[in-house]
Amino acid sequence: LIRVIGVRRGTFAPAVLEKRDPLLPKNDLELWAASACAIWASRGWPMEGWPLMGGMHRGFVRGYFAKTGLKNMWGVTTREEGIAAVQELIEEHAGQPADPWAAWDLCRATQLTGLLFHCRKIDRQEMDRLYSETCRVIQAMYSSWEQLAEQYLAGCSAWQHRSKNKEEADKDAAQRQRKYEQLKNTAYGPYAV
């Protein structure tokens, strides 16, 4: 009974029918978008990693973490606020030259979209629409996963150095760099998409 209820709530995938997991990508667009935020999604508990939408399965603790993150880090409590935040990140960089801040913001737009879906603030159709807008801008600006990831890591490092002390920011940057190298060397990982 616990297993059946957990599967229906999206806490975890059915043992035999993994493709029915509501948080796994259902099309190439979703898989691509999950790859764009794979470094963030693979950072450790409570995150479970790529390719889950929002980086984790649903559940009480993970749901609390996702909703708290939306509220505290993004100022998002409603569907409309979430969509507006994603649109703002996209519009700020659309048609602009590629730079670390653009990579940082656009990858964060995919993260935010996944979290909105994870928290059931948007449906799958709305998630795909936002992913499509974000991914088109990313693809127009960056020619490879490597270029996007390097720019994202540079933007993340700059942001960390603004908000944390140097030692802590350097430690976090090194951890994300190691995670990127690990993901890049994974045969069927996010950067093979």
Side-chain angles (χ1 to χ4, degrees):
L1 185 60
I2 290 170
R3 177 102 187 133
V4 171
I5 292 169
V7 168
R8 288 184 186 257
R9 288 185 178 165
T11 306
F12 45 81
V16 180
L17 305 171
E18 190 174 289
K19 289 184 179 180
R20 292 187 57 205
D21 186 337
L23 294 168
L24 284 174
K26 302 294 184 217
N27 55 48
D28 289 341
L29 171 65
E30 292 176 6
L31 185 60
W32 201 96
S35 296
C37 63
I39 297 169
W40 169 81
S42 301
R43 63 188 179 161
W45 195 92
M47 308 304 285
E48 295 174 281
W50 179 84
L52 295 169
M53 303 294 105
M56 57 192 148
H57 280 100
R58 290 184 177 129
F60 179 75
V61 173
R62 288 183 172 92
Y64 174 78
F65 174 78
K67 287 177 184 173
T68 303
L70 281 175
K71 184 178 179 183
N72 295 342
M73 297 177 75
W74 293 95
V76 170
T77 56
T78 67
R79 174 187 179 279
E80 292 75 22
E81 290 173 342
I83 292 172
V86 172
Q87 292 290 344
E88 184 179 321
L89 290 170
I90 296 168
E91 291 168 7
E92 183 177 341
H93 299 289
Q96 300 296 317
D99 66 32
W101 288 114
W104 169 244
D105 283 345
L106 292 168
C107 289
R108 288 174 52 227
T110 62
Q111 298 165 13
L112 178 54
T113 301
L115 285 173
L116 290 169
F117 178 71
H118 182 275
C119 294
R120 296 184 170 107
K121 294 194 181 295
I122 59 174
D123 62 15
R124 185 163 231 111
Q125 188 175 14
E126 189 71 27
M127 177 183 70
D128 284 352
R129 185 186 67 75
L130 292 171
Y131 274 158
S132 180
E133 289 180 37
T134 308
C135 293
R136 285 185 181 160
V137 174
I138 291 172
Q139 288 173 341
M141 295 176 85
Y142 302 97
S143 60
S144 67
W145 283 119
E146 188 172 86
Q147 184 186 21
L148 174 66
E150 287 174 3
Q151 293 287 309
Y152 168 79
L153 290 170
C156 179
S157 180
W159 178 78
Q160 293 283 348
H161 280 90
R162 281 185 177 178
S163 60
K164 296 181 178 181
N165 67 45
K166 183 177 176 6
E167 184 179 305
E168 195 175 330
D170 289 343
K171 181 180 174 184
D172 185 67
Q175 180 184 22
R176 286 180 194 250
Q177 183 67 40
R178 282 192 304 275
K179 184 52 71 178
Y180 165 62
E181 294 297 331
Q182 179 186 359
L183 292 169
K184 187 169 77 169
N185 295 323
T186 303
Y188 297 102
Y191 305 120
V193 172

